[in-house]
Amino acid sequence: MIIIADGGSTKTNWCLLNKENKKVYFNTEGYNPYFIDTPGIIQSLKNNLPDNLDINSIEHVSFYGAGCSNEEKNEVVASALRTVFTKAKVFVSHDLLAAARALLGNQSGFAAILGTGTNTCYYDGRDISLNIDSLGYMLGDEGSGSHIGRRLLRDYMRGVMPKALSEAFDRTYGYSHSDILDRIYKKPLPNRFLASFSKFLYDNSNVQPYAREVIKDSFNAFFRDLVSRYPDYQKYTFNCIGSVGYNFRDVLAEVSNEYGMQLGKVVRSPIDDLVQYHINELKLSVAQ
């Protein structure tokens, strides 16, 4: 049996695939190696993997994760997986590769992630051929949930947010200014905290034109500072994985068209298409 995992900064989607290609799905926390170490991942897996999962029957684990962008960070996750899945061969790669394989299969094209964080690439049908670093939530991640959340909190704390939305924010969260600053600067996983507010904006998207303005400004920054930096980017359709891109896909389509890119495939999670990619690869390897 094999396991395929798509790990964001907030949540990891897993699929157990048996020899008859029967699928069993489950979720755990996200394991971004920039925010959690190997012992932390091991403990979380032990606490969150299904009780009825036969770990010793797992022969291969393919883990695609946010933050798994170099050998050092990959090893943080791989070491934890080898400790838990003691009989399995372990493969760890970037969640951007998972997105590209899920969106494009064996076809070349442009793929992106718009979720808690942001990422983009050209994909050659097998691997990532060009990637412009999104630089993370502190320096970049334009268009992401954390980017949107940062704008939302700034407007709330400075009194710029429309009164009706500000009152709804107070009712929903009840945060003082010091609470917010403490969560961002002193508590772990500030990127998740920031990104959580994109859902609030989605739930209150009837507050116009402010909500649409925030989303469109963020997507404009994403296309201006990332997408349009790719050579000949307008030759490709814009394909995207992630809750932010999916939830605000009407605005995404508008901004994409303004930059000369037709909107292609947009899905919330790559796990189903990623599993199908691996099933197809297994069939090819058997045929050969």
Side-chain angles (χ1 to χ4, degrees):
M1 292 195 290
I2 68 172
I3 284 183
I4 300 141
D6 168 59
S9 292
T10 303
K11 181 178 71 172
T12 301
N13 297 311
W14 302 76
C15 179
L16 173 67
L17 194 65
N18 69 15
K19 294 185 186 300
E20 291 75 39
N21 289 338
K22 181 181 178 182
K23 306 168 191 174
V24 178
Y25 293 94
F26 55 93
N27 300 316
T28 66
E29 296 176 303
Y31 303 122
N32 187 323
Y34 282 92
F35 303 110
I36 189 169
D37 59 12
T38 298
I41 298 172
I42 293 170
Q43 190 59 52
S44 176
L45 288 172
K46 289 181 176 179
N47 292 339
N48 291 287
L49 287 175
D51 293 335
N52 61 351
L53 179 64
D54 183 4
I55 289 175
N56 291 325
S57 69
I58 307 303
E59 300 167 318
H60 197 282
V61 178
S62 292
F63 184 98
Y64 301 84
C68 297
S69 53
N70 58 56
E71 289 185 10
E72 178 187 357
K73 295 302 180 184
N74 287 3
E75 184 56 29
V76 170
V77 179
S79 180
L81 293 172
R82 287 194 297 267
T83 300
V84 174
F85 299 98
T86 56
K87 304 293 179 64
K89 293 181 180 179
V90 171
F91 167 81
V92 175
S93 189
H94 205 287
D95 63 341
L96 185 58
L97 181 59
R101 288 178 169 179
L103 289 165
L104 297 164
N106 292 313
Q107 303 298 312
S108 62
F110 186 93
I113 296 173
L114 282 171
T116 299
T118 297
N119 221 325
T120 53
C121 73
Y122 279 162
Y123 174 69
D124 63 11
R126 187 70 186 174
D127 212 337
I128 293 168
S129 57
L130 178 62
N131 165 242
I132 298 175
D133 199 329
S134 65
L135 302 178
Y137 79 101
M138 289 288 285
L139 296 178
D141 269 357
E142 296 89 344
S144 69
S146 59
H147 189 259
I148 292 165
R150 187 164 64 242
R151 161 74 183 273
L152 197 69
L153 289 179
R154 186 173 67 237
D155 286 358
Y156 169 74
M157 296 174 77
R158 290 177 175 172
V160 177
M161 184 183 288
K163 183 179 179 182
L165 193 60
S166 182
E167 290 173 348
F169 187 94
D170 286 333
R171 290 192 302 270
T172 303
Y173 300 107
Y175 288 135
S176 67
H177 285 206
S178 60
D179 290 335
I180 293 170
L181 294 174
D182 187 62
R183 287 293 303 269
I184 292 172
Y185 293 109
K186 294 182 179 180
K187 298 294 177 67
L189 304 174
N191 62 325
R192 287 190 199 175
F193 176 71
L194 290 168
S196 67
F197 297 104
S198 64
K199 183 180 185 303
F200 171 78
L201 200 60
Y202 176 75
D203 291 341
N204 292 274
S205 58
N206 58 313
V207 181
Q208 298 285 359
Y210 174 81
R212 188 176 186 87
E213 173 193 320
V214 171
I215 300 302
K216 188 168 183 180
D217 284 352
S218 189
F219 286 168
N220 264 317
F222 170 68
F223 274 84
R224 182 188 66 237
D225 299 337
L226 275 173
V227 178
S228 65
R229 304 298 181 186
Y230 285 84
D232 301 319
Y233 73 97
Q234 293 174 327
K235 294 194 316 185
Y236 301 92
T237 59
F238 180 84
N239 305 285
C240 176
I241 291 282
S243 59
V244 173
Y246 183 82
N247 288 339
F248 300 107
R249 57 193 179 279
D250 57 333
V251 184
L252 183 61
E254 180 182 330
V255 176
S256 178
N257 287 334
E258 288 174 359
Y259 278 82
M261 285 186 89
Q262 182 180 349
L263 195 66
K265 187 175 181 179
V266 179
V267 295
R268 184 186 297 275
S269 168
I271 190 65
D272 288 327
D273 293 301
L274 184 61
V275 169
Q276 188 58 51
Y277 172 87
H278 278 271
I279 290 173
N280 293 342
E281 288 296 296
L282 285 171
K283 289 178 180 178
L284 284 174
S285 64
V286 170
Q288 292 172 355

